[in-house]
């Protein structure tokens, strides 16, 4: 039976990776370019980044999907592809993690301010649901 993240909680200190975007920039991602693009344009760099963290001892790698919601992807080459971007990010992290590490799905802000933007809360909720569905379908453990 596969390990579960929930079962591992409390057994030991779990180490997470960090600075995925900065690491991708060190590998050539131009400053100002959204890291999620490399899930498609340079997936080997994304896998190499995650794998490096696993080899360094990380118990959990975080998917390259921080900005992969429909609001943050608007007016970008990834517009309308939130589910696909999230799923791909989790798949790449899972490939790198194998059975040696867990995959955490990274979910960031929408960039909207509820008090100022006229977007219904239900639409924001649905955007997060779409992103999380992609992460789960791509193999995220948490």
């Amino acid at each position: 039976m596969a390990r579960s993240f929930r079962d591992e909680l409390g057994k030991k200190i779990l180490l997470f990776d960090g600075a995925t975007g900065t690491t991708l920039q060190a590998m050539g991602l131009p400053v100002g370019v959204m890291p999620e693009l490399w899930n498609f344009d340079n997936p080997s760099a994304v896998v190499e980044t995650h794998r490096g963290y696993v080899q360094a001892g990380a118990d959990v790698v975080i998917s390259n999907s921080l900005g992969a919601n429909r609001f943050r992807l608007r007016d970008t080459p990834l517009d309308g592809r939130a589910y696909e971007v999230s799923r791909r990010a989790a798949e790449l992290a899972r490939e790198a993690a194998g059975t040696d590490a867990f995959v955490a799905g990274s979910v960031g802000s929408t960039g909207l301010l509820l008090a100022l933007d006229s977007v219904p809360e239900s639409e924001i909720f649905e955007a997060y649901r779409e992103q999380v569905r992609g992460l789960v379908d791509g193999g995220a453990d948490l």
Side-chain angles (χ1 to χ4, degrees):
M1 179 159 83
R3 298 183 315 156
S4 94
F5 182 76
R6 184 175 298 217
D7 290 343
E8 293 297 311
L9 287 174
K11 289 184 180 177
K12 68 174 193 166
I13 294 173
L14 296 171
L15 301 175
F16 283 63
D17 70 359
T20 300
T22 305
T23 302
L24 291 175
Q25 286 176 344
M27 298 173 79
L29 176 71
V31 173
V33 172
M34 53 189 320
E36 293 84 359
L37 281 170
W38 268 23
N39 293 337
F40 302 97
D41 295 347
N42 195 350
S44 61
V46 176
V47 171
E48 182 181 335
T49 297
H50 293 312
R51 196 168 281 144
Y53 283 117
V54 173
Q55 290 170 348
D59 299 298
V60 182
V61 293
I62 303 169
S63 66
N64 184 32
S65 57
L66 182 69
N69 66 68
R70 68 176 70 159
F71 298 104
R72 296 281 299 271
L73 296 178
R74 279 187 184 161
D75 302 321
T76 76
L78 299 174
D79 191 7
R81 298 171 62 189
Y83 172 87
E84 179 187 1
V85 173
S86 298
R87 181 177 177 138
R88 181 70 171 150
E91 289 170 346
L92 294 173
R94 171 57 51 215
E95 177 183 336
T99 58
D100 297 326
F102 295 105
V103 173
S106 180
V107 176
S109 74
T110 62
L112 301 174
L113 297 173
L114 289 177
L116 301 177
D117 294 301
S118 59
V119 176
E121 189 176 324
S122 60
E123 190 176 333
I124 295 170
F125 180 83
E126 185 52 40
Y128 282 126
R129 181 194 311 261
E130 175 182 36
Q131 183 178 10
V132 170
R133 190 175 300 124
L135 292 166
V136 170
D137 289 351
D141 299 298
L142 63 138

